[in-house]
Amino acid sequence: QKEVEQNSGPLSVPEGAIASLNCTYSDRGSQSFFWYRQYSGKSPELIMFIYSNGDKEDGRFTAQLNKASQYVSLLIRDSQPSDSATYLCAVDNSGYALNFGKGTSLLVTP
Amino acid sequence: GAGVSQTPSNKVTEKGKYVELRCDPISGHTALYWYRQSLGQGPEFLIYFQGTGAADDSGLPNDRFFAVRPEGSVSTLKIQRTERGDSAVYLCASSPRDRGGDTQYFGPGTRLTVL
């Protein structure tokens, strides 16, 4: 069973702070990693993807990948109340099907 | 351009009935995926189409579930003899290439409730 693990939260951070969301995966052969944001009652929306070890930055978001430790994270700088949502980590084990974690609920308080 | 669309947005049915859920992918996307999301869980893979053929249907829970994509565009997920445990949000996604590893874009989902 290929697992993707996330802390369900909720993770609460004050407005303007850095939110750090973490994900571990069990399949060492995984090649592609995705972060989706999901607002309550809505469908997942892609935030970032990362394929290579290291950091990838896009605006206020930074994805970090460490394949040796089987760990991927998402940092959100200058967190805003509108960032409050569930963040889903997804791992591409097969070349097509995404294997999702259960998601981490983030609450940014004004 | 238009995103992935799904109809209906909500479907309420009675146990034992047959339902069809429709997905219209982003124009030009050759790969199409169905997922199911239960409350408090991440989406769970059901089936993957490359063009018209189901390349991987290993995620379908049992033989009551079936999906088609006859012309390589619109797909229909069909559920026979629905059970209360089938209640969930059914999500469709599409991506621009036949081979995976690229980005999947999700539709708004169909919320299925089996009474």
Side-chain angles (χ1 to χ4, degrees):
Chain A
Q1 184 76 5
K2 299 174 181 176
E3 303 286 342
V4 178
E5 300 287 344
Q6 295 182 256
N7 189 321
S8 61
L11 172 66
S12 183
V13 299
E15 184 175 357
I18 296 175
S20 178
L21 303 161
N22 304 315
C23 172
T24 59
Y25 60 94
S26 64
D27 183 5
R28 190 170 287 277
S30 301
Q31 295 296 317
S32 308
F33 306 85
F34 302 82
W35 283 100
Y36 285 83
R37 178 175 63 197
Q38 187 171 31
Y39 292 112
S40 181
K42 302 295 185 182
S43 62
E45 171 194 11
L46 181 72
I47 297 296
M48 291 192 70
F49 60 86
I50 186 166
Y51 302 148
S52 303
N53 275 328
D55 294 359
K56 180 181 178 182
E57 186 174 320
D58 183 0
R60 296 187 296 114
F61 299 95
T62 298
Q64 299 175 317
L65 176 61
N66 183 324
K67 289 186 178 180
S69 299
Q70 296 175 239
Y71 178 93
V72 58
S73 65
L74 179 70
L75 301 178
I76 307 174
R77 289 181 299 282
D78 188 25
S79 296
Q80 301 297 308
S82 59
D83 294 326
S84 299
T86 296
Y87 288 80
L88 296 163
C89 173
V91 177
D92 184 348
N93 301 123
S94 61
Y96 46 88
L98 293 179
N99 189 7
F100 284 87
K102 292 183 178 181
T104 297
S105 176
L106 173 66
L107 178 63
V108 181
T109 55
Chain B
V4 178
S5 62
Q6 292 186 245
T7 56
S9 56
N10 281 284
K11 176 70 176 178
V12 180
T13 191
E14 294 179 343
K15 180 176 180 294
K17 299 290 188 182
Y18 168 83
V19 297
E20 291 190 350
L21 312 179
R22 176 188 167 108
C23 172
D24 202 335
I26 294 171
S27 177
H29 281 194
T30 53
L32 185 145
Y33 315 78
W34 285 97
Y35 293 82
R36 177 170 71 173
Q37 188 173 23
S38 301
L39 193 63
Q41 303 293 316
E44 173 191 20
F45 169 75
L46 297 178
I47 187 168
Y48 159 55
F49 286 91
Q50 287 189 95
T52 60
D56 184 350
D57 63 359
S58 63
L60 295 177
N62 51 60
D63 61 6
R64 295 186 298 106
F65 289 75
F66 189 71
V68 296
R69 195 186 184 199
E71 297 179 356
S73 179
V74 170
S75 175
T76 304
L77 178 65
K78 308 180 180 192
I79 310 174
Q80 298 177 321
R81 303 183 306 279
T82 51
E83 300 178 356
R84 293 192 178 88
D86 299 335
S87 296
V89 176
Y90 289 80
L91 295 165
C92 176
S94 69
S95 67
R97 298 186 309 174
D98 284 340
R99 186 76 176 105
D102 60 338
T103 302
Q104 296 183 25
Y105 298 91
F106 283 83
T110 293
R111 181 175 298 279
L112 175 66
T113 303
V114 182
L115 301 176

